[in-house]
């Protein structure tokens, strides 16, 4: 005859067995699903975006080094020619500066085709093809150049902000120097080049 104590032990043993079985089942289920991988941190994502943007502007600057001499060759205003030639030299220095930034980031300088810059350069080439050499073409070259400058100002402004957020202060300083140069070039194109184009002389020649 079973005692109350024996029944109690049996019930306790059964409950313990069920708990262990449930725990084992849960463990297997978790193992089957696998542990979720942590999402990349925002900093890692921003660093990738920063590096990608560096590749983009690196391509843009190298393409511009080739395009600027063509613009200078098609310009007639001495002030415009001087401004373009001066900016060509500055752009070459900017390319070297970008290579230093890549080095700071522990990466090899790599160019990634910049669709925006390619489009802006092609637009400038179209203007030169569709206008006669003279003040109107000069004005068109300045317009195309300023669009390029504005794109670069936006790009370097963003890159500076990214670098500061990532704590890359030395890189931010180099990029900031280029940003200042782009802003200066934009002003030069208007004040020293466009404002000195003599449209009246052109109109008199046509008459």
């Amino acid at each position: 005859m079973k005692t109350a104590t024996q029944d109690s032990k049996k019930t306790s043993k059964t409950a313990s067995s069920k708990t262990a079985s449930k725990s084992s089942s849960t463990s297997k289920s978790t193992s089957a699903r696998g542990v979720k991988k942590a999402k990349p941190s925002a900093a890692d994502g921003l660093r990738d975006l920063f590096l990608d943007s560096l590749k983009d502007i690196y391509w843009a600057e190298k393409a511009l080094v080739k395009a600027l001499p063509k613009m200078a060759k098609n310009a007639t205003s001495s002030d415009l020619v001087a401004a373009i030639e001066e900016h060509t030299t500055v752009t070459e220095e900017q390319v070297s500066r970008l290579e230093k930034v890549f080095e700071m980031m522990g990466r090899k300088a790599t160019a990634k085709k910049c669709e925006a810059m390619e489009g802006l350069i092609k637009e400038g080439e179209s203007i030169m093809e569709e206008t006669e050499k003279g003040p109107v073409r000069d004005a068109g070259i300045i317009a195309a150049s300023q669009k390029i400058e504005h794109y670069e100002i936006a790009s370097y402004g963003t890159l500076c902000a990214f670098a500061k957020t990532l704590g890359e202060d030395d890189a931010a300083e180099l990029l900031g120097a280029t940003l200042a140069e782009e802003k200066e070039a934009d002003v030069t194109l208007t004040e020293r080049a466009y404002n000195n184009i003599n449209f009246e002389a052109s109109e008199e020649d046509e008459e």
Side-chain angles (χ1 to χ4, degrees), residues 3 49 143:
T3 64
L49 180 59

Side-chain angles (χ1 to χ4, degrees), residues 28-112:
K28 288 180 180 179
S29 178
T30 302
S31 177
R33 289 196 301 269
V35 179
K36 290 183 178 180
K37 293 182 179 180
K39 294 181 180 179
S41 69
D44 289 338
L46 184 61
R47 186 173 293 274
D48 290 340
L49 180 59
F50 175 68
L51 290 169
D52 194 60
S53 299
L54 272 180
K55 294 175 184 178
D56 189 83
I57 199 65
Y58 185 54
W59 187 97
E61 294 290 24
K62 293 182 78 173
L64 197 54
V65 168
K66 297 178 181 179
L68 286 172
K70 296 178 183 178
M71 292 184 179
K73 186 177 179 180
N74 279 273
T76 53
S77 165
S78 58
D79 288 311
L80 177 56
V81 172
I84 294 174
E85 290 178 343
E86 180 181 322
H87 195 57
T88 301
T89 301
V90 171
T91 303
E92 290 171 344
E93 294 173 358
Q94 291 171 350
V95 170
S96 298
R97 199 176 288 153
L98 284 171
E99 291 170 347
K100 290 180 182 177
V101 174
F102 274 108
E103 187 178 344
M104 288 177 177
M105 302 299 292
R107 299 299 180 92
K108 179 181 178 181
T110 307
K112 175 184 175 183

Side-chain angles (χ1 to χ4, degrees), residues 92-145:
E92 290 171 344
E93 294 173 358
Q94 291 171 350
V95 170
S96 298
R97 199 176 288 153
L98 284 171
E99 291 170 347
K100 290 180 182 177
V101 174
F102 274 108
E103 187 178 344
M104 288 177 177
M105 302 299 292
R107 299 299 180 92
K108 179 181 178 181
T110 307
K112 175 184 175 183
K113 186 175 181 179
C114 176
E115 302 289 348
M117 181 59 76
E118 183 183 45
L120 290 169
I121 290 174
K122 284 183 177 179
E123 182 178 340
E125 291 173 347
S126 295
I127 289 173
M128 290 186 288
E129 291 172 1
E130 295 168 6
T131 55
E132 292 184 7
K133 196 165 186 176
V136 174
R137 179 181 288 181
D138 286 351
I141 290 173
I142 290 171
S145 298

